[in-house]
Amino acid sequence: MQKVTIGFLGCGNIGSGVWKLISDFRYEFAHRHQLEITVKKILVRDVTKPRGFSLPEGVLTDRAEDVLEDSEIQIVMEFLGGEYPATSYILQALHNGKTVVTANKVALALHWHELQAEAVRQQVGLYYEASVCGAIPVIDVLQHSLGANRIDKLYGIINGTTNYILSRMAETGLPYEQVLQEAQQLGLAEPDPASDVEGLDAAYKLSIMASLAFHGRVTFPKVYREGITRVTDQDIAFGREMGLVLKLLAIAKRTGNQVEVRVHPTFLPKSHPLARVDGSFNAVYLHGHACQEMMLQGRGAGDMPTASALVSDLIRAATASVHQHPTFRNTEQPDPSLDFSQNWVTRYYLRLSCSDSVGVLARVSDCFAKENISIATMVQKDTGMPGRVTIVLTTHAAPELALQHAIHALDTQICRVESVIRVEE
Amino acid sequence: MQKVTIGFLGCGNIGSGVWKLISDFRYEFAHRHQLEITVKKILVRDVTKPRGFSLPEGVLTDRAEDVLEDSEIQIVMEFLGGEYPATSYILQALHNGKTVVTANKVALALHWHELQAEAVRQQVGLYYEASVCGAIPVIDVLQHSLGANRIDKLYGIINGTTNYILSRMAETGLPYEQVLQEAQQLGLAEPDPASDVEGLDAAYKLSIMASLAFHGRVTFPKVYREGITRVTDQDIAFGREMGLVLKLLAIAKRTGNQVEVRVHPTFLPKSHPLARVDGSFNAVYLHGHACQEMMLQGRGAGDMPTASALVSDLIRAATASVHQHPTFRNTEQPDPSLDFSQNWVTRYYLRLSCSDSVGVLARVSDCFAKENISIATMVQKDTGMPGRVTIVLTTHAAPELALQHAIHALDTQICRVESVIRVEE
């Protein structure tokens, strides 16, 4: 029997889930893996706070060094979240020769190069399956199971909060603010929802996934990002009439060395496998040159699904003879061999508010024609407001810059652009 | 740069795909993994047969020992398929100290214990991701990514041929025989389709997946099996009216030590994620106590998707410092701690052909009531045949044995059972 002593950094929902899963899995650790896991120290802010489960005397501590400096602790599991102090703690643990298992997407997205360099230097492991999409093993699949692929496309629904909000808006027809409030009351959105609804959370995760998929560092600032705060129930309804479903999509595409990495509200045809991923589910859909299409779907958040990834990583960490690391050049800067483009080619949905006068449609069409953008559908809607009409149009595939030019060329006196939503297939 | 010399057993569609993928991936092998892969020998039946791609002089051989006995060859990739001689070749390669990467579900399902024992004895690797569901990494996910889970339910659509046939039948309303012929003409079904349509292929794969999921050997004969040869377009149409979709489902369930492992035509509600997996796609849907629901979907067959799994395994095999093996007790006999039941509890769909006489419905209902089986829906259809009616009924959840008793108790003079199809949720 191999004895493994571990420490936790944090003991909120996820830490509690990990504690429960480890406690509950003693028999399996012993009989499947000949492992005996002892949690020696758990760093918390307040050692007196009731935890809802019993911990042995002396396990809780509010001193980080009790975990980071204890020479008996071989593996540190981190679920504090956020950039600091988590990043410093992880670095220190690695520096002290401890393998780290983390769920921290922010630390990884922003400091991966430092963390990996330190882990390599100390010949210890760094495991982070839980940092992206909870229980869904997208890290391992990208890194190993699809090792013989050039991945040219990855689409993800990787933020449960925004997917819940958009699904609920589609289901109920209610406006964004009201559904957000409902999600906050249900505990599905944070009191300060910015990280989710502004697309930050998805962008952190996408920078990690895209780095593995493209085998080169895709840094967080390289991810183009728009959140869902300006999404209207009206656009969702108009989209539905055209057979489109709105998702906050994380997109990574590669053509040769040109890559595009972006998070924004996106219409998908309702026949797309991702269009049916509703509520708090996560899913990643990808295409590789050998594997072709693949989709992984599951619980992307929640204490037990995240604990599933963390404890599975713990088993790997404890049973590995040599710790493996991604083989791409993991640097602070974006990989120089990747050419990051913001002039992607996609289809667009636009909602325009126009004055109801002769020749407006022709002038709108003209602006797009001048940029060589072909209009796929155009519908004029009655607004109920005298003198104004709503025009909903979709384009064929067009470059982003051309689209932006066309929009800026529209005469704001007669035509206001209310929404621009990209349409993927 | 690490030089790895490998040999192939077989060079049909899959072998050709692997050759192409390896040739095409030289740059990535070198730059990502510092590997230089040389294919030294390829065993084929006929060395003179044109292959559609050029091979270096002297690589093809019709003598197995040129691969198995060559001391330079470190890794043997096997895609002969079938039980023999593949199993003997794999054993011999392992015995000679070579790591084996295989796509052979039959060899694995029937001889896993021998193969693993020999690999452990010789301290070499045995890799078989490609044996189940092509590119979909279900082996690795069950073995590692869900390592901290007790998996209690696994549903798979794991045979593309039957899924194509059932999808086409549902789409066109055509009868089984005609759709089978069409599939054969398109190369989607073998000239002798028995292995697919009788459920053998799915049962081999399920025995492998269930062993990993339940962490105990589930041998092939323990898999209950019914094929799709008796499926009628009529049942598919009646099912559709009730919101049900017919799939050849591979099912593994566990409650405590009691397990059920079965492959048979199954109705699923159309809202189930698997109900939308059409055509030649494969998918595995599972539930674990920590990860909760998860689904993996992709290309389960085809030369490049299978090559994706084989070459990804090749990279693992070539870069592993120690080869890992499943940690369950891998024996010839079913795991004694698993209690295999054929008296599962599920819902049923039945189509009965009855004489159109007073009291028939009451007598049918009575047979089910005597076995304590509760009827959920019952519809009488006009057959157009004077004196006969068709009764379509579904039951609430009931034990298999009770259902069989009820069926046998029906008076065959007045009522013939035309179809019995299990309904899962």
Side-chain angles (χ1 to χ4, degrees):
Chain A
M1 191 75 71
Q2 183 194 346
K3 295 188 183 211
V4 179
T5 303
I6 70 175
F8 289 2
L9 298 173
C11 200
N13 288 338
I14 292 175
S16 305
V18 171
W19 171 268
K20 282 179 209 153
L21 186 45
I22 288 177
S23 310
D24 175 53
F25 225 58
R26 299 212 164 275
Y27 178 86
E28 283 85 352
F29 285 134
H31 286 79
R32 295 185 185 177
H33 306 286
Q34 289 73 54
L35 284 179
E36 190 184 312
I37 308 272
T38 305
V39 184
K40 188 173 176 192
K41 285 285 175 194
I42 298 179
L43 174 68
V44 293
R45 207 168 296 163
D46 178 1
V47 296
T48 63
K49 185 179 154 190
R51 301 274 153 197
F53 53 93
S54 69
L55 284 164
E57 189 85 25
V59 165
L60 292 180
T61 176
D62 52 10
R63 294 157 34 99
E65 56 268 40
D66 286 350
V67 177
L68 303 174
E69 305 288 342
D70 187 318
S71 62
E72 269 185 16
I73 291 178
Q74 299 153 277
I75 299 175
V76 170
M77 304 188 76
E78 185 270 324
F79 2 85
L80 295 166
E83 187 175 7
Y84 290 109
T87 303
S88 317
Y89 290 168
I90 298 173
L91 270 174
Q92 205 179 328
L94 295 168
H95 181 77
N96 291 343
K98 302 177 195 316
T99 282
V100 172
V101 176
T102 177
N104 195 322
K105 58 188 167 275
V106 184
L108 207 68
L110 301 180
H111 301 279
W112 198 352
H113 55 289
E114 296 168 68
L115 303 181
Q116 184 173 322
E118 190 60 33
V120 169
R121 201 151 37 230
Q122 305 298 338
Q123 297 186 293
V124 294
L126 176 64
Y127 294 81
Y128 42 83
E129 183 64 81
S131 67
V132 180
C133 293
I136 310 173
V138 63
I139 299 290
D140 188 55
V141 168
L142 288 171
Q143 207 178 328
H144 295 118
S145 302
L146 299 179
N149 282 272
R150 287 186 205 105
I151 292 166
D152 50 39
K153 179 165 143 179
L154 183 151
Y155 284 173
I157 295 174
I158 58 180
N159 179 273
T161 301
T162 50
N163 202 43
Y164 173 82
I165 292 172
L166 295 177
S167 301
R168 271 299 277 177
M169 285 178 73
E171 193 186 312
T172 60
L174 293 172
Y176 169 75
E177 287 299 342
Q178 195 171 334
V179 173
L180 171 62
Q181 269 180 27
E182 180 194 287
Q184 286 171 320
Q185 279 155 13
L186 290 169
L188 295 169
E190 302 283 333
D192 174 2
S195 169
D196 293 316
V197 300
E198 300 287 358
L200 284 156
D201 176 86
Y204 288 128
K205 294 170 181 167
L206 182 60
S207 81
I208 299 168
M209 286 198 290
S211 299
L212 292 169
F214 297 152
H215 216 80
R217 183 75 190 270
V218 175
T219 53
F220 174 70
K222 284 291 182 190
V223 181
Y224 173 87
R225 178 173 57 80
E226 271 176 38
I228 64 162
T229 54
R230 284 178 302 168
V231 163
T232 69
D233 43 315
Q234 210 177 0
D235 290 317
I236 291 179
F238 288 157
R240 191 208 307 259
E241 287 172 17
M242 292 184 279
L244 300 173
V245 177
L246 192 68
K247 296 291 179 189
L248 181 68
L249 210 63
I251 300 170
K253 288 189 190 178
R254 176 174 192 155
T255 314
N257 284 335
Q258 187 163 309
V259 297
E260 46 190 90
V261 194
R262 44 194 170 106
V263 171
H264 51 63
T266 309
F267 274 128
L268 286 172
K270 69 177 181 202
S271 59
H272 195 286
L274 285 174
R276 299 152 179 162
V277 176
D278 280 332
S280 61
F281 271 100
N282 276 198
V284 174
Y285 171 91
L286 57 81
H287 184 272
H289 86 300
C291 68
Q292 300 173 15
E293 299 143 282
M294 185 173 295
M295 189 161 97
L296 311 175
Q297 182 179 350
R299 293 287 172 192
D303 50 354
M304 291 315 286
T306 308
S308 165
L310 283 162
V311 180
S312 299
D313 263 359
L314 172 64
I315 296 172
R316 277 191 235 247
T319 55
S321 43
V322 173
H323 302 289
Q324 290 197 331
H325 298 285
T327 54
F328 68 87
R329 191 169 35 186
N330 199 344
T331 53
E332 186 172 7
Q333 297 303 317
D335 191 298
S337 76
L338 299 177
D339 174 13
F340 292 87
S341 168
Q342 293 214 353
N343 193 24
W344 46 75
V345 174
T346 186
R347 293 176 55 216
Y348 294 86
Y349 158 104
L350 291 100
R351 178 162 55 86
L352 312 174
S353 170
C354 302
S355 67
D356 189 8
S357 52
V358 175
V360 166
L361 277 182
R363 287 167 71 178
V364 168
S365 308
D366 198 41
C367 280
F368 288 94
K370 276 189 181 141
E371 292 292 337
N372 224 356
I373 297 169
S374 168
I375 289 175
T377 64
M378 190 186 248
V379 182
Q380 183 169 326
K381 306 266 181 187
D382 187 10
T383 57
M385 284 195 295
R388 301 297 294 177
V389 293
T390 292
I391 295 174
V392 173
L393 63 85
T394 61
T395 72
H396 288 294
E400 176 83 14
L401 291 180
L403 193 277
Q404 298 295 344
H405 287 157
I407 287 174
H408 288 120
L410 286 169
D411 181 347
T412 53
Q413 291 298 311
I414 61 153
C415 188
R416 214 168 49 234
V417 177
E418 301 283 355
S419 316
V420 180
I421 299 177
R422 297 169 188 92
V423 183
E424 295 282 333
E425 262 149 19
Chain B
M1 191 74 71
Q2 183 194 347
K3 295 189 183 210
V4 179
T5 303
I6 70 174
F8 289 2
L9 298 173
C11 200
N13 289 339
I14 293 174
S16 305
V18 171
W19 172 267
K20 281 178 209 153
L21 185 45
I22 288 177
S23 310
D24 175 53
F25 224 60
R26 297 211 166 276
Y27 177 87
E28 283 86 352
F29 284 133
H31 286 78
R32 294 184 185 178
H33 306 286
Q34 288 73 54
L35 284 179
E36 189 184 314
I37 307 271
T38 306
V39 183
K40 188 173 174 191
K41 285 286 174 191
I42 297 179
L43 174 68
V44 292
R45 208 168 297 163
D46 178 0
V47 296
T48 63
K49 186 180 155 190
R51 302 271 153 200
F53 54 93
S54 70
L55 283 164
E57 188 86 25
V59 166
L60 292 180
T61 176
D62 54 8
R63 293 158 32 101
E65 55 269 38
D66 286 350
V67 177
L68 303 174
E69 305 288 341
D70 187 318
S71 61
E72 271 185 16
I73 291 177
Q74 300 152 276
I75 298 176
V76 170
M77 303 188 75
E78 185 270 323
F79 1 85
L80 294 166
E83 187 176 7
Y84 290 109
T87 302
S88 317
Y89 289 169
I90 297 173
L91 270 174
Q92 204 179 331
L94 295 168
H95 183 76
N96 290 343
K98 301 176 194 317
T99 282
V100 173
V101 176
T102 177
N104 195 324
K105 60 190 165 274
V106 184
L108 207 69
L110 301 180
H111 301 280
W112 198 352
H113 55 289
E114 295 168 69
L115 303 180
Q116 184 172 322
E118 190 60 33
V120 169
R121 202 152 35 229
Q122 305 298 337
Q123 297 185 294
V124 293
L126 176 64
Y127 294 81
Y128 42 84
E129 183 64 81
S131 68
V132 179
C133 293
I136 310 172
V138 63
I139 298 291
D140 187 55
V141 168
L142 288 172
Q143 208 179 328
H144 295 117
S145 303
L146 300 179
N149 282 272
R150 288 187 203 104
I151 292 166
D152 50 40
K153 179 165 143 178
L154 183 152
Y155 284 173
I157 295 175
I158 56 179
N159 178 273
T161 302
T162 50
N163 202 43
Y164 172 82
I165 292 172
L166 295 177
S167 301
R168 272 299 279 177
M169 286 178 73
E171 192 185 315
T172 60
L174 293 172
Y176 169 75
E177 286 299 342
Q178 197 172 335
V179 173
L180 171 61
Q181 269 180 26
E182 181 194 287
Q184 286 171 318
Q185 280 155 12
L186 292 169
L188 295 168
E190 302 282 334
D192 174 3
S195 169
D196 293 315
V197 300
E198 300 287 357
L200 284 156
D201 176 86
Y204 287 128
K205 294 169 180 167
L206 183 59
S207 81
I208 298 168
M209 286 198 290
S211 298
L212 292 168
F214 297 153
H215 216 81
R217 182 74 190 270
V218 174
T219 52
F220 175 70
K222 283 293 181 188
V223 182
Y224 173 86
R225 178 174 56 82
E226 271 175 38
I228 63 162
T229 54
R230 285 177 301 169
V231 164
T232 69
D233 43 316
Q234 209 178 2
D235 290 316
I236 291 178
F238 288 156
R240 191 207 308 257
E241 289 172 16
M242 292 183 278
L244 300 172
V245 177
L246 192 68
K247 296 291 179 190
L248 181 68
L249 211 63
I251 299 169
K253 288 189 189 177
R254 176 173 191 156
T255 314
N257 284 335
Q258 188 162 310
V259 297
E260 45 190 90
V261 194
R262 45 194 170 106
V263 171
H264 52 64
T266 309
F267 275 126
L268 286 172
K270 68 178 181 202
S271 59
H272 194 286
L274 285 173
R276 299 150 179 165
V277 176
D278 280 331
S280 61
F281 271 101
N282 275 197
V284 174
Y285 170 93
L286 57 81
H287 184 272
H289 86 301
C291 68
Q292 300 173 16
E293 297 142 284
M294 185 173 294
M295 189 162 96
L296 312 174
Q297 183 178 348
R299 293 287 172 191
D303 50 355
M304 290 316 285
T306 308
S308 165
L310 283 162
V311 180
S312 299
D313 262 359
L314 171 63
I315 296 171
R316 276 192 235 247
T319 56
S321 43
V322 173
H323 301 289
Q324 290 197 330
H325 298 284
T327 54
F328 67 85
R329 190 167 37 185
N330 199 344
T331 52
E332 185 172 8
Q333 298 303 318
D335 192 298
S337 76
L338 299 177
D339 174 12
F340 291 87
S341 168
Q342 293 215 352
N343 192 24
W344 45 75
V345 174
T346 186
R347 292 177 54 219
Y348 294 86
Y349 158 103
L350 290 100
R351 179 163 55 87
L352 311 174
S353 170
C354 302
S355 66
D356 188 7
S357 52
V358 175
V360 167
L361 278 181
R363 286 167 71 178
V364 168
S365 309
D366 197 44
C367 280
F368 288 95
K370 276 190 180 139
E371 292 292 336
N372 225 355
I373 297 169
S374 166
I375 290 174
T377 63
M378 190 185 247
V379 182
Q380 182 169 327
K381 307 266 180 186
D382 187 9
T383 57
M385 282 195 294
R388 302 297 294 178
V389 292
T390 290
I391 295 174
V392 173
L393 64 86
T394 63
T395 72
H396 287 295
E400 176 84 14
L401 291 179
L403 193 277
Q404 298 296 345
H405 286 157
I407 288 174
H408 287 122
L410 286 170
D411 181 345
T412 52
Q413 291 298 310
I414 60 152
C415 187
R416 216 167 48 235
V417 178
E418 302 283 354
S419 315
V420 179
I421 299 176
R422 297 169 189 94
V423 182
E424 296 282 333
E425 263 150 17

